[in-house]
Amino acid sequence: AVAMFTGKANCPYYAKAELLADYLQTNLPNFRVHKITQHPDKWEQWLHDICETNGWEHRQSPIIWRELLDRGGKGQLLGGLNDFLEYAQKYYGITSMMLNEEMLDIAEENLQAHLDIVKEDEEIESLIKPMQIWITSASVPICYHLIPLLANGEVFGMTTEISIHLLDTEQFKEILRSIVMEAEDMAFPLLRNISEHTKIDQAFIDADIIIVLDDVLLNLEVQSLENYIREVSEICQVYAPLIEKNAKSEVKVISSGKTFANLKATMLRTYGPSIRPENIIAISTSWESAAKAMLARKLNMNTAGVKDVIVWGNITGSNYIDLSHAKLYGYDCAIRGPPNFQRPLLNMIYDSEWIHSELLSAQSTLSSRVSRCTGMLPAHAVATVLRYWYHGSPSEEIISVGILSEGQFCIPEGIIFSMPVRFQNGNWEVMTELEINETTQKVLGRLSHELVQEKLVALKEINEMHPYEA
């Protein structure tokens, strides 16, 4: 038979029983011990479960039983410390002379040893357990382009394995299956697993990252903007509780797509209040990249040399491309300098009429370029921001991201608003040190009002649909 000992790691009675058991195992040829130390926070639930499984009645630490290996069936309950002392005295004529102070010292050592083991196990698990990535509306082209970017090791690092979960409705099951097969055929060394999911109640299990790609086909001739807003809100009302229930507590949620990127992030925050607010963001990088490319074409230079273009406001709605902090690196002009030499962009574009008509006013050219893209640009934008989030963005470079406003730049609190940030040490911070001029401040006020109204419409539509849940 094997004697099973389980108790709270910081329990002095467990320490006394454990030491006596070790003595018996050392000095008796047929006495075997198996010890299971439990964290104090998990002890009550563990004790309840094992007693319920075996039909035992026991409420203290430790609990001791005999596993009858040669007979099968459930173990034989011996009881707690006093029962074990009596058992040792009766059958072996041995008792414990441990003093109370010794019991307390050993209990403290047991707890520290247990915490060290748990920490070591967690570190080992983090190295071998893949990062869980869930992508919603995964049949869209963005997802198709995104998978290779996530799986090639450049986003999370060449030692981090990932597992990708593609979520969509039943009607897209075959598309998901074909994406899965193609990704498997590519044999990415870091892609541990890729799978399709169509059952919404199983969504986001153990998720480390959730990328929300859901879109609505916006056609205001067919139905009103309010109806589209309601549609988006209802999607988020389904997702948010599932994220709270199934995902990891530190889950990062990314909103992308062609429509309502800010609103999706705002509504996920609204209906998922336990999700960390700083972990819900919307991707502005597509607009940022497209604006840089347009400027580079105008200046006949490499796009990579255009830096610090800021996208303010509603990413997939009314936004503002701010060039007041933009800089040019490696620009071919009369003044030359080392690679880190930069010039203010507005000083280099003398055609102010072009700036106002082509880029800053209606932004029709940019809007059509971004909305027409087949998925490569937004996929690259998501991958870029994830890489920055995990490994930091280039030093001193401005990155535009839709984040929950806390009143920075006089923007109202409680809306997801695109603004300048930097990423470092696994977090981001708003670049509040940037000075904005009076014109920009007025534009931000107008954009803020639009987003506040959009949120109010979303909440109003949902409240009218579900008045008792509101």
Side-chain angles (χ1 to χ4, degrees):
V2 176
M4 305 291 292
F5 286 74
T6 300
K8 285 191 290 185
N10 63 345
C11 172
Y13 303 108
Y14 174 57
K16 186 169 184 174
E18 180 187 31
L19 205 67
L20 178 56
D22 288 343
Y23 177 83
L24 293 175
Q25 180 170 250
T26 304
N27 292 278
L28 299 172
N30 297 319
F31 191 89
R32 295 288 175 266
V33 178
H34 183 69
K35 292 176 283 188
I36 307 172
T37 306
Q38 294 291 339
H39 191 283
D41 295 344
K42 297 181 179 179
W43 165 252
E44 293 295 339
Q45 185 61 49
W46 190 93
L47 180 63
H48 172 270
D49 292 344
I50 195 150
C51 286
E52 190 174 84
T53 301
N54 290 281
W56 295 335
E57 282 289 334
H58 191 82
R59 290 185 171 79
Q60 288 90 32
S61 169
I63 180 172
I64 303 160
W65 71 95
R66 293 173 67 208
E67 289 281 357
L68 307 176
L69 300 178
D70 55 338
R71 302 179 200 174
K74 66 180 183 179
Q76 177 188 352
L77 179 66
L78 296 180
L81 173 62
N82 291 335
D83 300 299
F84 180 58
L85 292 175
E86 186 179 326
Y87 173 85
Q89 178 67 44
K90 180 178 178 181
Y91 286 96
Y92 305 113
I94 297 172
T95 190
S96 172
M97 303 302 292
M98 185 187 287
L99 301 175
N100 286 342
E101 286 183 10
E102 288 180 279
M103 290 164 57
L104 292 170
D105 288 344
I106 292 176
E108 193 173 324
E109 289 175 14
N110 278 348
L111 177 60
Q112 190 55 52
H114 178 71
L115 294 176
D116 290 344
I117 290 168
V118 168
K119 184 179 179 182
E120 187 178 329
D121 288 345
E122 286 176 351
E123 288 174 354
I124 293 170
E125 185 181 19
S126 69
L127 292 174
I128 62 174
K129 191 173 183 181
M131 182 178 288
Q132 304 292 322
I133 303 170
W134 283 77
I135 305 175
T136 72
S137 196
S139 62
V140 299
I142 300 175
C143 177
Y144 184 81
H145 291 281
L146 181 59
I147 290 170
L149 299 178
L150 297 176
N152 66 14
E154 292 183 12
V155 173
F156 305 110
M158 299 307 294
T159 59
T160 303
E161 292 191 345
I162 64 171
S163 181
I164 297 177
H165 303 266
L166 308 179
L167 178 68
D168 215 319
T169 56
E170 187 70 31
Q171 71 185 97
F172 297 108
K173 189 175 181 68
E174 288 306 313
I175 295 176
L176 297 186
R177 188 163 291 166
S178 65
I179 294 173
V180 166
M181 291 177 66
E182 190 168 351
E184 288 173 342
D185 289 345
M186 292 177 78
F188 292 105
L190 296 173
L191 183 58
R192 176 84 69 86
N193 178 58
I194 182 167
S195 54
E196 77 267 11
H197 302 265
T198 54
K199 291 184 171 57
I200 189 66
D201 57 321
Q202 296 175 8
F204 314 128
I205 292 174
D206 290 333
D208 293 290
I209 296 168
I210 298 169
I211 302 167
V212 179
L213 301 181
D214 296 71
D215 267 323
V216 293
L217 297 172
L218 203 60
N219 186 345
L220 297 179
E221 294 178 3
V222 175
Q223 60 177 337
S224 67
L225 184 64
E226 288 76 12
N227 284 342
Y228 288 116
I229 289 174
R230 184 183 69 223
E231 201 175 317
V232 171
S233 295
E234 287 176 343
I235 291 168
C236 296
Q237 202 173 25
V238 172
Y239 285 167
L242 288 168
I243 294 172
E244 290 183 305
K245 177 185 174 186
N246 294 338
K248 291 177 183 168
S249 59
E250 299 292 308
V251 64
K252 291 176 168 60
V253 183
I254 292 173
S255 172
S256 185
K258 296 181 180 180
T259 58
F260 298 109
N262 292 55
L263 182 63
K264 283 183 290 189
T266 300
M267 290 295 99
L268 287 170
R269 170 65 190 143
T270 302
Y271 295 122
S274 71
I275 306 170
R276 289 184 64 187
E278 63 270 31
N279 279 6
I280 304 177
I281 67 171
I283 300 293
S284 312
T285 323
S286 296
W287 280 88
E288 198 178 276
S289 300
K292 289 175 180 178
M294 181 176 283
L295 291 161
R297 281 189 289 271
K298 175 68 175 176
L299 293 162
N300 194 28
M301 65 176 291
N302 185 353
T303 307
V306 184
K307 306 287 187 185
D308 299 346
V309 173
I310 303 174
V311 179
W312 296 94
N314 190 355
I315 296 158
T316 49
S318 297
N319 59 47
Y320 174 62
I321 308 297
D322 182 3
L323 304 182
S324 60
H325 298 275
K327 303 175 185 69
L328 302 178
Y329 291 81
Y331 182 54
D332 189 10
C333 62
I335 303 175
R336 300 291 184 91
N340 62 348
F341 177 68
Q342 43 88 3
R343 308 295 305 278
L345 181 142
L346 291 179
N347 290 0
M348 298 295 102
I349 296 184
Y350 301 104
D351 188 355
S352 59
E353 186 62 35
W354 178 86
I355 293 174
H356 289 286
S357 63
E358 198 72 22
L359 192 62
L360 299 183
S361 299
Q363 300 178 339
S364 57
T365 309
L366 266 182
S367 180
S368 64
R369 290 186 73 87
V370 174
S371 60
R372 281 203 317 268
C373 66
T374 57
M376 201 185 310
L377 175 60
H380 178 263
V382 171
T384 300
V385 170
L386 272 173
R387 187 175 77 250
Y388 290 162
W389 209 342
Y390 279 86
H391 300 292
S393 54
S395 176
E396 301 303 316
E397 192 169 318
I398 297 172
I399 310 298
S400 303
V401 175
I403 54 123
L404 187 69
S405 169
E406 294 180 347
Q408 303 96 332
F409 305 108
C410 300
I411 297 163
E413 296 181 21
I415 54 173
I416 298 288
F417 197 94
S418 182
M419 60 181 82
V421 306
R422 66 167 67 87
F423 289 89
Q424 56 186 14
N425 303 320
N427 299 303
W428 51 259
E429 61 178 2
V430 179
M431 301 177 74
T432 50
E433 72 275 12
L434 291 180
E435 293 183 9
I436 58 174
N437 57 39
E438 190 177 336
T439 303
T440 301
Q441 193 66 67
K442 286 180 181 178
V443 174
L444 298 192
R446 176 175 58 79
L447 298 178
S448 300
H449 179 73
E450 287 183 16
L451 280 167
V452 168
Q453 291 302 310
E454 191 175 81
K455 180 181 178 181
L456 290 174
V457 169
L459 293 172
K460 174 177 176 288
E461 293 288 339
I462 289 293
N463 289 348
E464 288 176 355
M465 290 285 291
H466 311 286
Y468 300 108
E469 295 177 16

